[in-house]
Amino acid sequence: MLTIWGRTNSVNVQKVLWCCDELVLPFERIDAGLQFGRNNEPEYLAMNPTGKIPTLVDDDFVLWESNSILRYLAMQYGESSLLYPPEPKLRASIDRWLDWSLSTLQPAERPVFWTLVRTPAEQRDMAKLATDAAAVGQLWRLLDAHLQGRFFLEGEKFTLADIVIGTYTKRWFGVDGLERPSLPNLERWYSRIATRSGFKKYVDFPLT
Ligand SMILES: N[C@@H](CCC(=O)N[C@@H](CS)C(=O)NCC(=O)O)C(=O)O
């Protein structure tokens, strides 16, 4: 049985839970992070010295970094699935979205999410929010252009790239108080992936 440590309203935990659903993998989950604490206790830090969530425990194997966890699950348990195909060019194309999500998208979208979802209205810096939202809007435009004429992010099939970018997209379309540019390709793709059971079970909730 797999164990996943992390609270369910973390985007990085959600992508792991969604991936387990795609692979039909049973797991137990233990709340950790923010109000649940535990992630800075010695027992947790011994598994994951970053003190961040999620952490995956698979028997005697422990892994942290959400996108690394997704790759591991797909390679270990999804041999016959198409979530992370072995063909080098396709796999590298999927990897670039996983890398881009952590290096570029999340740092840009995080301040917008935290301001609108986790900061009381009277404490919000609205001028900074406008600048931050414009910057992340440019990244969503990039994705919108990429999705022109495509059904999924890479190749013909749903892959890890759709899971990872899909969880962040919820944080763009799911908040109130943003002026969003028109992004028809992104919206079409988003409504397509929103039909997946893993999205419905683990991502499609009011943001908290
Ligand atoms: N790059 C890491 C980032 C992990 C991360 O920053 N997790 C956040 C939640 S999304 C966290 O642990 N926050 C502290 C907390 O919840 O207490 C990953 O992808 O796993």
Side-chain angles (χ1 to χ4, degrees):
M1 173 73 87
L2 302 172
T3 302
I4 297 162
W5 289 76
R7 55 188 164 80
T8 54
N9 65 344
S10 150
V11 67
N12 291 312
V13 174
Q14 288 175 347
K15 51 174 105 145
V16 174
L17 303 179
W18 183 356
C19 182
C20 286
D21 190 78
E22 294 288 342
L23 296 170
V24 199
L25 283 176
F27 62 85
E28 62 163 358
R29 190 188 57 76
I30 300 174
D31 274 323
L34 285 185
Q35 73 271 28
F36 299 102
R38 305 184 80 150
N39 51 323
N40 288 312
E41 290 173 6
E43 182 200 358
Y44 189 89
L45 293 171
M47 295 188 298
N48 180 345
T50 70
K52 300 288 187 190
I53 54 165
T55 299
L56 173 79
V57 181
D58 184 5
D59 199 5
D60 60 353
F61 179 61
V62 179
L63 189 64
W64 43 270
E65 276 299 325
S66 57
N67 291 352
S68 299
I69 294 171
L70 296 193
R71 291 180 179 101
Y72 167 72
L73 291 174
M75 290 188 290
Q76 179 77 341
Y77 297 107
E79 194 60 30
S80 59
S81 97
L82 295 170
L83 281 185
Y84 194 46
E87 196 278 306
K89 288 177 184 156
L90 182 50
R91 182 165 284 194
S93 302
I94 293 165
D95 275 336
R96 68 162 159 205
W97 293 115
L98 272 54
D99 293 342
W100 183 78
S101 72
L102 289 181
S103 67
T104 306
L105 182 61
Q106 187 170 23
E109 63 82 38
R110 195 170 186 272
V112 174
F113 170 79
W114 269 80
T115 299
L116 287 173
V117 177
R118 295 192 180 155
T119 305
E122 64 281 4
Q123 291 171 25
R124 290 177 193 161
D125 180 340
M126 297 311 281
K128 182 169 181 308
L129 175 65
T131 311
D132 290 342
V136 75
Q138 283 303 111
L139 301 179
W140 292 122
R141 276 197 177 88
L142 177 157
L143 266 162
D144 186 68
H146 173 80
L147 282 163
Q148 172 69 44
R150 293 172 191 261
F151 211 68
F152 291 115
L153 272 177
E154 289 302 335
E156 304 294 310
K157 307 279 185 195
F158 179 89
T159 68
L160 291 185
D162 298 286
I163 295 180
V164 168
I165 301 299
T167 53
Y168 295 106
T169 314
K170 168 73 189 181
R171 294 174 27 141
W172 176 247
F173 288 127
V175 287
D176 294 326
L178 272 185
E179 273 190 33
R180 299 180 195 83
S182 164
L183 300 166
N185 301 312
L186 187 72
E187 285 166 31
R188 256 194 304 277
W189 165 82
Y190 183 61
S191 47
R192 188 169 301 133
I193 59 160
T195 62
R196 315 281 302 190
S197 82
F199 181 91
K200 289 184 191 162
K201 278 191 215 162
Y202 300 117
V203 184
D204 201 11
F205 295 103
L207 297 162
T208 58

